[in-house]
Amino acid sequence: MSGTMIMISGEDYTDDPSLSRELVSFARQIKDATGEPFTIAVVGEEASRCTQDIVNYGAESVRVLSEAPEHQLWPEYDAEVLAQLCNETAVSTILLSKTLWGTEVAARLAAILDGSAAMDITAAAIANDTVEITRATFGGAAETKLRMIRMPAVLVPHPKIWAAAEAGSDVSPIVLFTSQVDLGTLQTMPEDRHRLVQGPDITQARILVSGGRGLGGPEPFKLLEEIASLIGGQVAASRPPVDSGWVSGQLQVGLTGKTVAPDLYFAVGISGAIQHITGCYNARNIVAVNNDPHAPIFQYATYGVVGDWQDVLPSFCKALESNLTSSREKIH
Amino acid sequence: MHIVVCARIVVDPLLPTTDLTIDPVRSRVVPSDGGQRVVNGFDEQALEAALRLKDENPGSTVTVLSVGEHVPWEVLRKLMALEVNDAVVVDGPSGDSHDSRSTAAILAAAITRLAQVDIVICGRQDSDWDNAQVPIRVARNLRWPCLTLAREAKVTGERVLVRRVLLDGWQDMSAKLPAVVTVTSELGELRYPTMKGRMAAMKRQPNVWSVSDLGVNSEESTELVDVHIAERSKESNCQFIDGDSGQSQGEQLAAVLMSSGLI
Ligand SMILES: Cc1cc2nc3c(=O)[nH]c(=O)nc-3n(C[C@H](O)[C@H](O)[C@H](O)COP(=O)(O)OP(=O)(O)OC[C@H]3O[C@@H](n4cnc5c(N)ncnc54)[C@H](O)[C@@H]3O)c2cc1C
Ligand SMILES: Nc1ncnc2c1ncn2[C@@H]1O[C@H](COP(=O)(O)O)[C@@H](O)[C@H]1O
């Protein structure tokens, strides 16, 4: 067994720093078990900002790519560069976050280095000569224990299982590394990128008002928006509204979306498929509004309303509004 | 153009957890009632991407490729009701395992044997093991490029261009053929077959190869130690908000949530 390497994309870090800090907790667990140190490698857009932030977490060093290609989002390039770094430093475990970038680079690294990879890890037992992990499979319906045979083992934890690490006082040295990757050998070519306005990060919200296919179209999301703003929450969604283009992919909760754990999660017109539940079962309270009394969502809900959202939500919204006005009147 | 679609047979991902059990002999999740499995959802969408390419490039052929132990033909055959030219089933337990390294080695060997393949289209992940690794490993084994998470794919001349889904928009990415492409749900649903197509599919048969025929080293990268059903759906203790109308339910819900201090 030799060291662990955490890999972070600067852009992912900017979106949600806590995911990277969860990797630090995971790396500390490995260090406690094996005595092996961990390093952090940072690539991509906004790498320098992330680097400044991540130096206080006990890494042996923070490795930063000295120059980046013009195209900032290029998983093939990142994977080749990071594989080269792994070969130089002989790592046995590699940790990445569950983001689109993280899962793709994880799979690419496992392929390039001919190691093993596992996603959605919920527990790990790592000793000097074995890496055994537990992960969610079958959409979250099953739990699977795997022994990683080929090294390095590329591990992608399920979000919000490891707590986000706190910073310490020691400062890790920042060590630049240069790419030896010949761009001419890369087989994929990034072209235009289109970015929508960055929405709010649903993973940090205390209250989420989430809508599903049962809303029937993009228009009703305005009502969810209205409710969310009355109670200090944010809007989220299941996959069908994203697939149909009603809302942005940033709002998707679930297996291939984000993992959230708010105090209060409203599921409106969402059936409760396991791939959705996987992303929200750690919510403290789930309120389900669904006109099908047999919808699986009620198994996970704290409060349930069997009814059509079109009948239920307007009066719910009105009650919130009048409560808000009366509490304002009390203040004055 | 020869397009290969990789399609895996999986447990229906919409079955409630309570309808799943473990087959102790094969250490895998199966429907409790022994019911039929389905084509992985993203792989149906991979076929849709292939059919769109075929529409735009008349004269193309589409081959469906599935690796697994006892791949149920009555399930895979449903795809044959569309404009699919051939189906190849590679039979062997190692193709149906939890391990993406061994599965990818078999798929890559089968693609090599098919010959003259221009593009391989896969789903972004299989809903049994949720690995999201096989296509990238297939591409690596073949030394082909891999473009991921496509919501659209176009072929012009010798290149394939995909529009990749990002959370905050999209990115176009291209590669020279032959290439592997993975698709995501934003691509849209698989088209419906015609009645005539469905009738014709009843008579179709797959080409069956065996893993041992392919002479491939399908050593695994991970060992399955245990699999069990997750205890996620606790005893339901949902408090239902009743009322004689939706309006009164809405008002009561607000009252309950406010009095419990949740909002
Ligand atoms: C590998 C894989 C990954 C996936 N990843 C995700 C993911 O990340 N996130 C995700 O959400 N899904 C994901 N899915 C899809 C998932 O399996 C479900 O298909 C999806 O969650 C269903 O979304 P839904 O509940 O909005 O729609 P549906 O299942 O269609 O449910 C709609 C619900 O709305 C109710 N309804 C209809 N009209 C009304 C009304 N007027 N008032 C009140 N209720 C009404 C219906 O009773 C129904 O229960 C994934 C699937 C797979 C196979
Ligand atoms: N046994 C298989 N047979 C055919 N295609 C497969 C098989 N396993 C995986 N694939 C393809 O690889 C994609 C990703 O699978 P995975 O990496 O297992 O999540 C699937 O959507 C399929 O297109």
Side-chain angles (χ1 to χ4, degrees):
Chain A
M1 190 85 192
S2 60
T4 301
M5 190 177 291
I6 292 177
M7 295 176 178
I8 301 176
S9 109
E11 192 178 332
D12 280 355
Y13 184 85
T14 311
D15 277 357
D16 181 3
S18 60
L19 276 181
S20 304
R21 290 167 48 213
E22 290 171 18
L23 298 182
V24 172
S25 294
F26 194 172
R28 286 180 182 165
Q29 179 196 325
I30 299 174
K31 188 178 172 187
D32 289 344
T34 64
E36 297 291 346
F38 65 92
T39 54
I40 300 178
V42 187
V43 299
E45 201 170 334
E46 306 194 60
S48 56
R49 185 175 144 197
C50 162
T51 307
Q52 289 315 316
D53 256 36
I54 209 82
V55 290
N56 293 319
Y57 286 87
E60 197 177 48
S61 63
V62 176
R63 307 295 307 263
V64 187
L65 184 60
S66 57
E67 90 289 3
E70 184 194 339
H71 290 285
Q72 297 276 7
L73 186 63
W74 195 353
E76 184 191 13
Y77 173 83
D78 292 342
E80 293 290 344
V81 164
L82 289 165
Q84 172 206 318
L85 188 62
C86 291
N87 285 330
E88 277 168 28
T89 48
V91 294
S92 50
T93 44
I94 297 170
L95 310 183
L96 292 119
S97 298
K98 188 181 177 182
T99 60
L100 292 181
W101 179 87
T103 40
E104 172 156 354
V105 171
R108 285 186 182 272
L109 279 168
I112 297 168
L113 301 169
D114 202 8
S116 55
M119 319 289 170
D120 280 308
I121 295 172
T122 52
I126 296 178
N128 281 78
D129 51 0
T130 52
V131 177
E132 210 171 84
I133 60 94
T134 304
R135 58 161 302 200
T137 49
F138 291 79
E143 234 172 34
T144 301
K145 200 177 263 186
L146 296 175
R147 192 166 300 132
M148 312 303 281
I149 308 172
R150 295 190 72 93
M151 294 289 141
V154 187
L155 308 178
V156 177
H158 190 70
K160 297 188 194 289
I161 300 286
W162 277 267
E166 297 296 333
S169 49
D170 291 351
V171 177
S172 312
I174 298 175
V175 185
L176 295 182
F177 70 98
T178 47
S179 156
Q180 320 281 304
V181 173
D182 173 2
L183 293 186
T185 63
L186 295 184
Q187 295 176 306
T188 61
M189 191 61 213
E191 301 188 6
D192 293 345
R193 175 166 180 184
H194 179 91
R195 272 168 145 159
L196 307 167
V197 186
Q198 187 75 25
D201 179 11
I202 59 167
T203 63
Q204 306 303 318
R206 197 184 73 78
I207 299 178
L208 286 172
V209 186
S210 196
R213 182 165 15 221
L215 289 192
E219 202 56 29
F221 275 87
K222 293 200 180 119
L223 179 56
L224 299 194
E225 203 73 71
E226 203 175 316
I227 292 170
S229 71
L230 285 170
I231 53 181
Q234 279 168 20
V235 170
S238 65
R239 191 175 81 177
V242 174
D243 285 350
S244 311
W246 303 346
V247 299
S248 139
Q250 290 165 301
L251 302 191
Q252 185 179 322
V253 170
L255 183 64
T256 48
K258 292 194 170 168
T259 307
V260 299
D263 285 345
L264 186 56
Y265 186 84
F266 287 86
V268 183
I270 293 178
S271 60
I274 188 70
Q275 298 83 5
H276 183 77
I277 297 299
T278 293
C280 63
Y281 74 97
N282 275 330
R284 228 173 262 147
N285 297 279
I286 294 179
V287 176
V289 180
N290 197 305
N291 59 5
D292 172 8
H294 302 295
I297 189 71
F298 290 118
Q299 284 167 31
Y300 307 93
T302 326
Y303 300 103
V305 181
V306 178
D308 189 324
W309 63 265
Q310 302 183 70
D311 301 330
V312 177
L313 290 192
S315 64
F316 175 67
C317 190
K318 213 177 262 160
L320 296 176
E321 266 169 354
S322 63
N323 180 262
L324 215 62
T325 359
S326 70
S327 54
R328 271 204 205 108
E329 276 161 8
K330 265 182 230 153
I331 295 168
H332 292 298
Chain B
M1 189 164 50
H2 184 188
I3 310 165
V4 171
V5 173
C6 295
R8 185 168 180 138
I9 304 299
V10 295
V11 173
D12 182 350
L14 292 180
L15 279 182
T17 315
T18 43
D19 289 2
L20 299 174
T21 186
I22 303 291
D23 170 352
V25 180
R26 299 192 51 229
S27 289
R28 55 176 20 259
V29 175
V30 291
S32 317
D33 66 357
Q36 219 176 39
R37 294 186 292 159
V38 298
V39 175
N40 186 43
F42 292 119
D43 302 355
E44 287 195 355
Q45 295 177 302
L47 177 57
E48 177 58 28
L51 296 175
R52 288 179 197 170
L53 284 178
K54 189 174 180 175
D55 292 343
E56 286 155 18
N57 301 273
S60 299
T61 54
V62 175
T63 302
V64 168
L65 171 62
S66 188
V67 176
E69 189 174 24
H70 311 307
V71 170
W73 176 239
E74 67 281 11
V75 175
L76 197 63
R77 189 174 57 197
K78 290 185 186 136
L79 303 182
M80 306 306 285
L82 293 157
E83 295 286 307
V84 174
N85 302 76
D86 269 308
V88 172
V89 168
V90 184
D91 189 53
S94 45
D96 203 16
S97 91
H98 66 284
D99 191 74
S100 25
R101 184 177 190 270
S102 53
T103 307
I106 298 164
L107 281 170
I111 291 161
T112 305
R113 154 118 39 131
L114 276 170
Q116 302 288 335
V117 174
D118 298 288
I119 183 165
V120 171
I121 311 185
C122 296
R124 77 182 269 182
Q125 74 189 52
D126 90 73
S127 59
D128 277 1
W129 301 103
D130 296 316
N131 277 322
Q133 293 178 50
V134 166
I136 284 172
R137 284 197 185 258
V138 168
R140 185 79 190 175
N141 288 5
L142 297 168
R143 305 286 160 201
W144 292 1
C146 184
L147 297 170
T148 55
L149 300 177
R151 60 181 300 167
E152 269 174 63
K154 295 242 172 312
V155 169
T156 24
E158 298 214 303
R159 293 187 78 78
V160 52
L161 174 72
V162 306
R163 180 153 288 180
R164 297 178 73 217
V165 168
L166 301 175
L167 289 190
D168 65 349
W170 70 77
Q171 178 183 34
D172 288 337
M173 215 181 257
S174 70
K176 193 165 178 293
L177 296 174
V180 176
V181 169
T182 79
V183 305
T184 180
S185 48
E186 283 90 338
L187 185 120
E189 296 298 319
L190 177 61
R191 61 192 65 181
Y192 284 106
T194 58
M195 183 53 90
K196 197 168 145 232
R198 244 178 281 169
M199 297 299 286
M202 299 302 284
K203 295 189 222 83
R204 304 283 293 274
Q205 288 298 325
N207 301 303
V208 182
W209 301 348
S210 78
V211 172
S212 49
D213 279 355
L214 289 171
V216 38
N217 165 8
S218 55
E219 201 184 302
E220 298 192 330
S221 58
T222 54
E223 180 191 332
L224 184 68
V225 179
D226 176 53
V227 54
H228 58 263
I229 305 296
E231 306 264 328
R232 198 152 286 170
S233 51
K234 314 153 215 140
E235 276 292 288
S236 163
N237 46 10
C238 179
Q239 180 184 331
F240 285 95
I241 312 287
D242 298 320
D244 42 23
S245 67
Q247 186 189 332
S248 83
Q249 284 171 303
E251 287 160 359
Q252 279 189 62
L253 179 65
V256 169
L257 295 180
M258 285 188 279
S259 69
S260 65
L262 282 169
I263 53 177

